[in-house]
Amino acid sequence: MTKSPSAAIVVGVDFGTLSGRAVVVRVADGAELGAAVYEYRSGVVDRVLPSTGVALPPGWALQVPADYLDVLRYAVPAALRDAGADPAEVIGVGTDFTSCTMVPTLADGTPLCDVPRFADRPHAYVKLWRHHAAQPQADRINALAEQWGEPWLARYGGLISSEWEFAKGLQILEEDPELYAAMRHWVEAADWIVWRLTGKYVRNACSAGYKGALQDGRYPAREFLAALNPGFAGFVEEKLAQPIGALGAVAGELSAPAAAWTGLPAGIPVAVGNVDAHVTAAAGNALSPGQMVAIMGTSTCLVMNGAELCEVPGMCGVVDGGIVAGRWGYEAGQSGTGDILGHFVRTGVPPEYAEQARAAGATLHEHLTRLASAQAVGEHGLLALDWHSGNRSVLVDHGLSGAIVGQTLATRPEDTYRALIEATAFGARTIIAAFNGSGLPVTELIVAGGLVRNSLVMQIYADVLRLPLSVVTSAIGPALGSAIHAAVAAGAYPDVPVAAAAMGQVRRAVYRPVPANADAYDALYELYVRLHDYFGRGGNDMMHRLRQIQREAVAA
Amino acid sequence: MTKSPSAAIVVGVDFGTLSGRAVVVRVADGAELGAAVYEYRSGVVDRVLPSTGVALPPGWALQVPADYLDVLRYAVPAALRDAGADPAEVIGVGTDFTSCTMVPTLADGTPLCDVPRFADRPHAYVKLWRHHAAQPQADRINALAEQWGEPWLARYGGLISSEWEFAKGLQILEEDPELYAAMRHWVEAADWIVWRLTGKYVRNACSAGYKGALQDGRYPAREFLAALNPGFAGFVEEKLAQPIGALGAVAGELSAPAAAWTGLPAGIPVAVGNVDAHVTAAAGNALSPGQMVAIMGTSTCLVMNGAELCEVPGMCGVVDGGIVAGRWGYEAGQSGTGDILGHFVRTGVPPEYAEQARAAGATLHEHLTRLASAQAVGEHGLLALDWHSGNRSVLVDHGLSGAIVGQTLATRPEDTYRALIEATAFGARTIIAAFNGSGLPVTELIVAGGLVRNSLVMQIYADVLRLPLSVVTSAIGPALGSAIHAAVAAGAYPDVPVAAAAMGQVRRAVYRPVPANADAYDALYELYVRLHDYFGRGGNDMMHRLRQIQREAVAA
């Protein structure tokens, strides 16, 4: 790695689902000089609203925006201390966020949940990306868009998600119209945090395109929104529209209050907000067509640039400049990966395994991984569907759920663990197959996120996908990506691709497919596809029926 | 309960998989005066042959017949002591056994494993009911029977089991022909123990019919057996045939040696042998058509009398006088019920639940039951298939396996536990539906076995089946059933139904369907049937494919 004499540094801050992470990065070569994490105090609010103790309905997932500000207050100064860095050397700040995570605010950006008269109302809180209770609204939006032949629909693989800005916004209108009326802005958290840092509300091109249905400079039309609900007609101009900022551009200067929170110099450039997955493509220096970036954490986001506009069935979206200015950015995703494994480890593994892990000085994940690694492909006799959080691509259906087939009285926890890993790999394969089949061949998978540390997961993905796996070596890829955008915003590089080439941290082809394993997985993938299509494409609608029965049971 | 002045008592002995249980019962009213258990010293021999230390192949399950005699030596006297009973008051003895459990013997009933020159040969030992290594032989028997249009095949729902007399006998011929030649009798353990008690070999009608393919007074023909293997042509007349004794009839008098073992008076009548599940129908006073008896333990056996002969698809068998003389006895079964719950509790529940259970002074089963009881029907959003041990009825397919659908990141262990209970109830409903649909309406379920203690399981069965559940209150239902047969053999009652009416221990309609729950379960049962038929009737053969892939992976 070339060392630069320059002492210039940038700060990147990544706002995840459970915590925020700040990293201090050298502009010259991307070296990570220090980092810190801050766990959100309220975490994910998905059972009861803390202010009232009232239970939330199934599918709800909220957050408390004060937690995000605490990341600025605690993680940023801690990262500077960890780096032993002089804050005066920091030339820029960049941020990225989970998405679509939405904050309802007053005109000045104050979250409605911070307004005392609204604090008891669930809709006043941040709707986290994985809030799935707006599915009925999403279904109506999709049905109407298809009926009207809305041109933007194909840019989202034919379906928009219940996670996105319109469905979540319509849910507020229909469930709490008074609150909807009081909401002046419906803000991506990615932009809200930049607003807090700069005092200016700039809407980033990535969120606006992928989650806000902004295509070719236009949002869905007023008539379309009125047809969904007359009260929704003005949603775009009244709640959503805002000047767009390109990725890597300057959103504003660090304000005095934000300088006080972070310990950074007031007045330095703050980059336009960004989305955690998309910004990671820069961290992995993977901005060329064919290079698909998989950010594998609780869920997996897959992003890839293309030179041209194609329509990939079931993709999340294609946005001009959505990953890097001047290219078509494609996004697809898996709603649950690490989350599924984490849920299993928390709820499905007996005490003796916990004791064995402790005795071996390993985490339960490590212990199960070691046991599962000893197996040949197919040895456990199981096949699972990775839809515990629904299916984001290619089925785009959050009414789906998980499944596992093949259990016997000899099935052990490590068998299920491995089957769940494999299910997520098969899920990734359905997505890559859709890209390959749409004229966007995928030739390399560049992997980032927490699951990178699990070499069994990595090898299974290489085998199932028959692709070399390159690894983003940064411990916090998105934060590094944000730092790269900060460097561009600060003028240290002319554009993001040049900055990514200098600052990206990646090892190429760390995992390669083992042909015998890949052959064996082909046979299992065939079975996966049958199960996928049976439950996911209308062969058996029972997952939706079960969800409906569940909703009725809970309501009664 | 009417008290009888008579002091007459009978002894029933139940030979189970791991232990034998003796009970002392008052003839007048069936009151259980005392009981004792004896655990078999050798238990189930399924890993290595103790005499040689040589490993047994997969699927083998043997026993040592000396253990059965020890039950007579230790459990019977202990039960008499427990009852404070005068042995002189005992007017008869009855027994029941697991089935099909087979003893290869010399002409005098000496087990071949007790002949020193055969003690090192695995085939010389008792083949326990769950010895599954004769599957290739069973497959050939079924294929040939179907090809030849054998009339007896329909009496077994179209398939006979690898557990039964012919498959296990053919395995000996083909794997140890010398031992086969030395074997004079191939004896149901149910009859062998009566032979030891009386010195006379009488073959009971129940075993002969259900496990020995004796139908309308005929076994499968010599030509059929010769076509399987020329050396097997004489199997029936050389090894199997023996005078048949009706259930409840006298097999003989207690011999002097047996009197010495048991402490009972020599010369008292010993009832014809019987099978544990079938004899329980008497214990529950459930011998009329429409009264289905479910013995719910690790697996479930279902038996019911019918006035006429019907062919129920997928039943285990129908035998004239198979449960009670003069009626057609029907049997069906579920390969896993308590076993599935036990496997889940052992392998799928995290430490915090174990701690909570401990703190509450409850078993993990009790703790999960309490949590699951708080749910409304359908609240967990799950649906499972109860085929972890395959499906005995109505699909008769041991290549099937378990499945569960509907998991989310909010799924908890108590949700899965309840879904597994429900799956076994739905499995029972498919069987009852097959009986109802074949002209044998089921109007009451009489339940015995270990699962009776779980009131959530009971209520779910009542709701799912829309049937009143009566409960056999005896702690050892089969042993009470054997005692009832002893009373009939001793002449205290004219026949088993009259004796059962006087001595049976059952509480009627302890659980009744709750209409709202039953309605809710109808909706879920519809989904179960779709899944059942999809995986079980050829819609998707993936369970067999997974099993095959698993076998290949393990072999490689």
Side-chain angles (χ1 to χ4, degrees), chain B residues 302-355:
Chain B
L302 295 149
V303 295
M304 184 171 83
N305 279 310
E308 288 167 31
L309 173 62
C310 296
E311 284 171 5
V312 183
M315 67 180 165
C316 298
V318 53
V319 170
D320 187 6
I323 301 170
V324 70
R327 290 181 189 157
W328 288 94
Y330 293 85
E331 182 188 342
Q334 296 181 261
S335 308
T337 42
D339 257 0
I340 296 175
L341 301 178
H343 173 256
F344 176 70
V345 164
R346 278 195 310 282
T347 65
V349 184
E352 73 200 73
Y353 279 67
E355 284 154 26

Coordinates of all heavy atoms in Angstrom, one line a residue, chain B residues 302-355:
Chain B
L302 N -53.2 -46.4 17.0 CA -54.6 -46.1 17.0 C -55.3 -47.4 16.6 O -55.0 -48.0 15.6 CB -55.0 -45.0 15.9 CG -54.4 -43.7 16.2 CD1 -54.1 -42.9 14.9 CD2 -55.3 -42.8 17.1
V303 N -56.3 -47.8 17.5 CA -57.0 -49.1 17.3 C -58.5 -48.8 17.4 O -58.9 -48.0 18.3 CB -56.5 -50.2 18.2 CG1 -55.1 -50.6 17.9 CG2 -56.7 -49.9 19.6
M304 N -59.3 -49.5 16.7 CA -60.8 -49.4 16.8 C -61.4 -50.7 16.2 O -61.0 -51.2 15.2 CB -61.2 -48.2 16.0 CG -62.7 -48.0 16.1 SD -63.3 -46.4 15.4 CE -63.5 -46.9 13.7
N305 N -62.5 -51.1 16.9 CA -63.3 -52.2 16.4 C -64.3 -51.7 15.4 O -64.8 -50.6 15.5 CB -64.0 -52.9 17.5 CG -63.1 -53.8 18.3 OD1 -62.4 -54.6 17.7 ND2 -63.0 -53.7 19.6
G306 N -64.6 -52.6 14.4 CA -65.7 -52.3 13.5 C -66.5 -53.5 13.4 O -66.1 -54.7 13.6
A307 N -67.8 -53.3 13.1 CA -68.7 -54.5 13.0 C -68.5 -55.2 11.7 O -68.7 -56.4 11.5 CB -70.2 -54.0 13.1
E308 N -68.0 -54.4 10.7 CA -67.8 -55.0 9.3 C -66.4 -54.9 8.8 O -65.6 -54.0 9.4 CB -68.8 -54.4 8.4 CG -70.2 -54.8 8.6 CD -71.2 -54.0 7.9 OE1 -70.8 -53.5 6.8 OE2 -72.3 -53.8 8.4
L309 N -66.1 -55.6 7.7 CA -64.8 -55.5 7.1 C -64.8 -54.3 6.1 O -65.6 -54.3 5.2 CB -64.4 -56.8 6.4 CG -63.2 -56.8 5.6 CD1 -61.9 -56.5 6.4 CD2 -63.0 -58.1 4.8
C310 N -63.9 -53.4 6.3 CA -63.8 -52.3 5.3 C -62.3 -52.2 5.0 O -61.4 -52.6 5.8 CB -64.2 -50.9 5.9 SG -65.9 -50.9 6.3
E311 N -62.0 -51.6 3.9 CA -60.6 -51.4 3.6 C -60.3 -49.9 3.7 O -60.7 -49.1 2.9 CB -60.3 -51.9 2.2 CG -60.2 -53.4 2.2 CD -60.1 -54.1 0.9 OE1 -60.0 -53.4 -0.1 OE2 -60.1 -55.4 0.9
V312 N -59.5 -49.5 4.7 CA -59.2 -48.1 5.0 C -57.9 -47.8 4.3 O -56.9 -48.5 4.6 CB -59.1 -47.9 6.5 CG1 -58.9 -46.4 6.7 CG2 -60.4 -48.3 7.2
P313 N -57.8 -46.9 3.4 CA -56.5 -46.6 2.7 C -55.5 -46.2 3.8 O -55.7 -45.3 4.6 CB -56.9 -45.4 1.8 CG -58.4 -45.3 1.7 CD -58.9 -46.0 3.0
G314 N -54.3 -46.8 3.7 CA -53.2 -46.5 4.5 C -53.3 -46.9 5.9 O -52.4 -46.6 6.7
M315 N -54.3 -47.8 6.3 CA -54.2 -48.3 7.6 C -53.1 -49.3 7.8 O -52.5 -49.8 6.8 CB -55.6 -49.0 7.9 CG -55.8 -50.3 7.1 SD -57.4 -51.1 7.5 CE -57.5 -52.2 6.1
C316 N -52.8 -49.7 9.0 CA -51.7 -50.7 9.3 C -52.3 -52.1 9.0 O -51.6 -52.9 8.5 CB -51.2 -50.6 10.7 SG -50.4 -49.1 11.1
G317 N -53.6 -52.3 9.4 CA -54.1 -53.6 9.2 C -55.5 -53.7 9.8 O -56.0 -52.9 10.6
V318 N -56.3 -54.7 9.3 CA -57.6 -55.1 9.8 C -57.6 -56.6 10.0 O -57.2 -57.3 9.2 CB -58.7 -54.6 8.9 CG1 -58.6 -55.1 7.5 CG2 -60.1 -55.1 9.5
V319 N -58.0 -57.0 11.3 CA -57.9 -58.4 11.6 C -59.1 -58.8 12.3 O -59.6 -58.1 13.3 CB -56.6 -58.6 12.5 CG1 -56.6 -60.0 13.1 CG2 -55.3 -58.4 11.8
D320 N -59.7 -60.0 11.9 CA -60.9 -60.5 12.5 C -60.5 -61.0 13.9 O -59.6 -61.8 14.1 CB -61.4 -61.7 11.7 CG -62.7 -62.2 12.2 OD1 -63.3 -61.6 13.1 OD2 -63.1 -63.3 11.6
G321 N -61.1 -60.4 14.9 CA -60.8 -60.8 16.3 C -59.4 -60.2 16.8 O -58.9 -60.7 17.7
G322 N -59.0 -59.2 16.1 CA -57.6 -58.6 16.4 C -57.6 -57.8 17.6 O -56.5 -57.6 18.2
I323 N -58.7 -57.3 18.1 CA -58.8 -56.5 19.3 C -59.7 -57.3 20.3 O -59.4 -57.4 21.5 CB -59.3 -55.1 19.1 CG1 -58.3 -54.4 18.1 CG2 -59.3 -54.3 20.4 CD1 -58.9 -53.0 17.6
V324 N -60.8 -57.7 19.8 CA -61.7 -58.5 20.6 C -62.4 -59.5 19.7 O -62.7 -59.2 18.6 CB -62.7 -57.5 21.4 CG1 -63.7 -56.9 20.4 CG2 -63.4 -58.3 22.5
A325 N -62.6 -60.7 20.3 CA -63.1 -61.8 19.5 C -64.5 -61.4 18.9 O -65.3 -60.8 19.6 CB -63.3 -63.1 20.3
G326 N -64.7 -61.7 17.6 CA -66.0 -61.5 17.0 C -66.2 -60.1 16.3 O -67.2 -59.8 15.7
R327 N -65.1 -59.2 16.5 CA -65.2 -58.0 15.8 C -64.0 -57.8 14.9 O -62.9 -58.4 15.2 CB -65.3 -56.8 16.8 CG -66.7 -56.8 17.5 CD -66.8 -55.7 18.5 NE -68.1 -55.9 19.2 CZ -68.3 -55.4 20.4 NH1 -67.5 -54.6 21.0 NH2 -69.5 -55.7 21.1
W328 N -64.1 -57.0 13.9 CA -62.9 -56.6 13.1 C -62.1 -55.5 13.8 O -62.7 -54.5 14.1 CB -63.4 -56.1 11.7 CG -63.9 -57.2 10.8 CD1 -65.2 -57.6 10.7 CD2 -63.2 -58.1 10.0 NE1 -65.3 -58.7 9.8 CE2 -64.1 -59.0 9.4 CE3 -61.8 -58.3 9.7 CZ2 -63.7 -60.0 8.5 CZ3 -61.4 -59.3 8.9 CH2 -62.3 -60.2 8.3
G329 N -60.9 -55.8 14.0 CA -60.0 -54.9 14.7 C -59.2 -54.1 13.7 O -58.5 -54.7 12.9
Y330 N -59.3 -52.8 13.7 CA -58.5 -51.9 12.8 C -57.3 -51.3 13.6 O -57.5 -50.8 14.7 CB -59.4 -50.8 12.3 CG -60.5 -51.4 11.3 CD1 -61.7 -51.9 11.9 CD2 -60.3 -51.5 10.0 CE1 -62.7 -52.4 11.1 CE2 -61.3 -52.0 9.2 CZ -62.4 -52.5 9.7 OH -63.4 -53.0 8.9
E331 N -56.2 -51.2 12.9 CA -55.1 -50.5 13.5 C -54.5 -49.5 12.5 O -54.4 -49.7 11.3 CB -54.0 -51.5 13.9 CG -52.8 -50.8 14.5 CD -51.6 -51.8 14.7 OE1 -51.8 -53.0 14.7 OE2 -50.5 -51.3 14.9
A332 N -54.1 -48.3 13.0 CA -53.4 -47.3 12.2 C -52.3 -46.7 13.2 O -52.3 -47.0 14.4 CB -54.3 -46.3 11.7
G333 N -51.5 -45.9 12.6 CA -50.4 -45.4 13.5 C -49.7 -44.1 13.0 O -49.8 -43.8 11.8
Q334 N -49.1 -43.4 14.0 CA -48.3 -42.3 13.7 C -46.9 -42.6 14.2 O -46.7 -42.9 15.4 CB -48.8 -41.0 14.4 CG -50.2 -40.6 13.9 CD -50.7 -39.4 14.6 OE1 -51.5 -39.5 15.5 NE2 -50.3 -38.2 14.1
S335 N -45.9 -42.5 13.3 CA -44.6 -43.0 13.6 C -43.9 -42.1 14.7 O -43.0 -42.6 15.4 CB -43.7 -43.0 12.4 OG -44.3 -43.7 11.3
G336 N -44.3 -40.9 14.8 CA -43.7 -40.0 15.8 C -44.7 -39.1 16.4 O -45.4 -38.4 15.6
T337 N -44.8 -39.0 17.7 CA -45.6 -38.0 18.4 C -44.8 -37.4 19.5 O -44.1 -36.4 19.4 CB -47.0 -38.5 18.8 OG1 -46.8 -39.8 19.3 CG2 -47.9 -38.6 17.6
G338 N -44.8 -38.2 20.7 CA -44.0 -37.7 21.8 C -42.5 -37.6 21.4 O -41.8 -36.8 21.9
D339 N -42.0 -38.6 20.5 CA -40.6 -38.5 20.1 C -40.3 -37.2 19.4 O -39.2 -36.7 19.6 CB -40.5 -39.6 19.0 CG -39.7 -40.8 19.5 OD1 -39.4 -40.8 20.7 OD2 -39.5 -41.8 18.7
I340 N -41.2 -36.6 18.6 CA -41.0 -35.4 17.9 C -40.9 -34.2 18.9 O -40.0 -33.4 18.9 CB -42.1 -35.1 16.9 CG1 -42.1 -36.2 15.8 CG2 -41.9 -33.7 16.3 CD1 -43.2 -36.1 14.8
L341 N -41.8 -34.2 19.9 CA -41.7 -33.2 21.0 C -40.4 -33.4 21.8 O -39.8 -32.4 22.1 CB -42.9 -33.3 21.9 CG -44.3 -33.1 21.1 CD1 -45.4 -33.2 22.1 CD2 -44.4 -31.7 20.4
G342 N -40.1 -34.6 22.1 CA -38.9 -34.9 22.9 C -37.6 -34.4 22.2 O -36.7 -33.8 22.7
H343 N -37.6 -34.7 20.9 CA -36.4 -34.3 20.1 C -36.3 -32.8 20.0 O -35.2 -32.2 20.2 CB -36.6 -34.8 18.6 CG -35.5 -34.3 17.7 ND1 -35.8 -33.3 16.7 CD2 -34.2 -34.6 17.5 CE1 -34.7 -33.1 16.1 NE2 -33.7 -33.8 16.5
F344 N -37.4 -32.1 19.9 CA -37.4 -30.6 19.9 C -36.9 -30.1 21.2 O -36.1 -29.2 21.3 CB -38.8 -30.1 19.6 CG -38.8 -28.6 19.6 CD1 -38.1 -27.8 18.7 CD2 -39.5 -27.9 20.7 CE1 -38.1 -26.4 18.8 CE2 -39.4 -26.5 20.8 CZ -38.8 -25.8 19.8
V345 N -37.4 -30.6 22.3 CA -37.1 -30.2 23.7 C -35.6 -30.4 23.9 O -34.9 -29.6 24.5 CB -38.0 -30.8 24.7 CG1 -37.4 -30.6 26.1 CG2 -39.4 -30.2 24.7
R346 N -35.1 -31.5 23.4 CA -33.7 -31.8 23.7 C -32.7 -31.0 22.8 O -31.7 -30.6 23.2 CB -33.4 -33.3 23.3 CG -33.7 -34.3 24.4 CD -33.0 -35.6 24.2 NE -33.3 -36.1 22.8 CZ -34.5 -36.7 22.4 NH1 -35.4 -36.8 23.2 NH2 -34.6 -37.1 21.1
T347 N -33.2 -30.7 21.6 CA -32.2 -30.1 20.6 C -32.5 -28.7 20.2 O -31.7 -28.1 19.5 CB -32.1 -31.0 19.3 OG1 -33.4 -30.9 18.7 CG2 -31.8 -32.4 19.6
G348 N -33.7 -28.2 20.5 CA -34.1 -26.9 19.9 C -34.6 -25.8 20.8 O -35.2 -24.8 20.4
V349 N -34.2 -25.9 22.1 CA -34.7 -24.9 23.1 C -33.5 -24.3 23.8 O -32.6 -25.1 24.3 CB -35.6 -25.6 24.1 CG1 -36.2 -24.5 25.1 CG2 -36.8 -26.3 23.3
P350 N -33.4 -23.0 23.8 CA -32.1 -22.4 24.3 C -32.0 -22.4 25.9 O -33.0 -22.6 26.6 CB -32.3 -20.9 23.8 CG -33.8 -20.7 23.7 CD -34.4 -22.0 23.4
P351 N -30.8 -22.1 26.4 CA -30.6 -22.2 27.8 C -31.5 -21.3 28.7 O -31.9 -21.8 29.7 CB -29.1 -21.6 27.9 CG -28.5 -21.8 26.6 CD -29.6 -21.7 25.6
E352 N -31.9 -20.1 28.2 CA -32.7 -19.3 29.1 C -34.0 -20.0 29.4 O -34.6 -19.8 30.5 CB -33.0 -17.9 28.4 CG -33.9 -18.0 27.2 CD -33.8 -16.8 26.3 OE1 -32.8 -16.7 25.6 OE2 -34.7 -15.9 26.3
Y353 N -34.5 -20.8 28.5 CA -35.8 -21.5 28.8 C -35.6 -22.6 29.8 O -36.4 -22.9 30.7 CB -36.4 -22.1 27.5 CG -37.1 -21.1 26.6 CD1 -36.5 -20.1 26.1 CD2 -38.5 -21.3 26.5 CE1 -37.2 -19.1 25.3 CE2 -39.2 -20.3 25.7 CZ -38.6 -19.3 25.1 OH -39.3 -18.4 24.4
A354 N -34.4 -23.3 29.7 CA -34.1 -24.3 30.7 C -34.0 -23.7 32.1 O -34.5 -24.2 33.1 CB -32.8 -25.0 30.3
E355 N -33.4 -22.5 32.1 CA -33.3 -21.8 33.4 C -34.6 -21.4 34.0 O -34.9 -21.5 35.2 CB -32.4 -20.6 33.3 CG -30.9 -20.9 33.2 CD -30.1 -19.9 32.4 OE1 -30.5 -18.7 32.4 OE2 -29.1 -20.2 31.8

